[in-house]
Amino acid sequence: AQKITQTQPGMFVQEKEAVTLDCTYDTSDQSYGLFWYKQPSSGEMIFLIYQGSYDEQNATEGRYSLNFQKARKSANLVISASQLGDSAMYFCAMSPWGGSEKLVFGKGTKLTVNP
Amino acid sequence: GAGVSQSPSNKVTEKGKDVELRCDPISGHTALYWYRQSLGQGLEFLIYFQGNSAPDKSGLPSDRFSAERTGGSVSTLTIQRTQQEDSAVYLCASSPPPTNNEQFFGPGTRLTVL
């Protein structure tokens, strides 16, 4: 079975600073995908970034980067230059076979960006 | 609209009644997923469709829950004899072929069982 652990129920960051949201995972699969989604208070789930288990380079998408440490089974999300609009719930998820089949989600981290 | 749509956006029902939730995926997306988000359980996978078939329905919590997809497009999630613990936001997502990295989510249906 796959499991995602997000140990930070809430995080605070000052506007324009960087923040790291932690995610560790557990799986016996050799091939898997790791995802981060953002859920603002409006409720929609917004895809942020993807990392495949065989990707050697860390994924980056604009201000988002994924710090992938395969041996430690961690996939932390780094948000650079935080903005007030980044305040939201952030979910780490994985799919067992490296493609977009069912997603297993962590409990989420609530990020608050302070002005 | 180009996104995933779900209806209704809110549904209030009485315990014991049946409800149907609808999902319209993005045109051309062959994969469709249902998830449930509740305060106590977080986000849980319910069922996955590839075309009209459901190769993975392992997340359906009981036989009161069923889903179908017709024409490789619209999907309906049906909950029979609703219980209070069914109260949650039901999210639908779709993704394009081939197996893709990103699932596009709809806005969800908030179900309240009184």
Side-chain angles (χ1 to χ4, degrees):
Chain A
Q2 296 76 35
K3 184 177 179 181
I4 295 283
T5 302
Q6 295 179 255
T7 57
Q8 306 154 315
M11 287 284 285
F12 294 86
V13 65
Q14 288 297 119
E15 194 177 7
K16 300 181 185 176
E17 293 186 348
V19 63
T20 298
L21 306 184
D22 294 342
C23 173
T24 58
Y25 60 92
D26 190 19
T27 182
S28 56
D29 291 299
Q30 296 300 310
S31 178
Y32 49 88
L34 295 157
F35 304 77
W36 278 91
Y37 280 83
K38 172 184 178 181
Q39 188 177 43
S41 56
S42 54
E44 74 269 32
M45 294 287 286
I46 302 168
F47 167 79
L48 296 178
I49 197 166
Y50 165 83
Q51 178 87 40
S53 59
Y54 289 109
D55 294 339
E56 295 189 351
Q57 289 199 328
N58 287 341
T60 60
E61 289 286 346
R63 294 186 299 112
Y64 304 106
S65 60
L66 198 153
N67 184 0
F68 180 46
Q69 298 187 42
K70 192 171 183 178
R72 297 180 61 185
K73 294 189 174 179
S74 75
N76 298 340
L77 177 71
V78 181
I79 306 174
S80 62
S82 297
Q83 302 172 357
L84 295 178
D86 294 335
S87 293
M89 284 291 291
Y90 288 80
F91 292 95
C92 181
M94 71 179 300
S95 69
W97 297 287
S100 190
E101 298 193 37
K102 68 178 180 183
L103 290 171
V104 176
F105 286 89
K107 296 291 187 185
T109 295
K110 184 174 182 179
L111 177 66
T112 302
V113 180
N114 294 316
Chain B
V4 177
S5 61
Q6 293 185 245
S7 60
S9 55
N10 280 285
K11 177 72 176 179
V12 180
T13 190
E14 294 179 347
K15 178 182 173 181
K17 300 282 190 183
D18 297 351
V19 295
E20 284 190 352
L21 312 180
R22 177 187 168 106
C23 172
D24 279 274
I26 294 171
S27 178
H29 283 198
T30 55
L32 186 147
Y33 314 80
W34 285 98
Y35 296 89
R36 179 169 73 173
Q37 186 173 24
S38 56
L39 283 176
Q41 300 297 322
L43 273 151
E44 305 171 280
F45 165 80
L46 297 178
I47 188 169
Y48 156 59
F49 287 93
Q50 184 62 246
N52 291 336
S53 62
D56 189 350
K57 52 180 77 172
S58 62
L60 295 177
S62 75
D63 59 7
R64 296 186 296 104
F65 288 73
S66 63
E68 65 175 13
R69 189 178 184 195
T70 55
S73 181
V74 171
S75 176
T76 303
L77 177 69
T78 301
I79 309 173
Q80 296 179 312
R81 305 181 303 282
T82 52
Q83 303 295 313
Q84 289 183 331
E85 59 264 28
D86 299 335
S87 296
V89 176
Y90 289 80
L91 292 164
C92 176
S94 68
S95 64
T99 301
N100 198 19
N101 299 329
E102 179 179 352
Q103 294 184 21
F104 296 80
F105 280 80
T109 294
R110 181 175 296 277
L111 174 67
T112 304
V113 182
L114 302 176

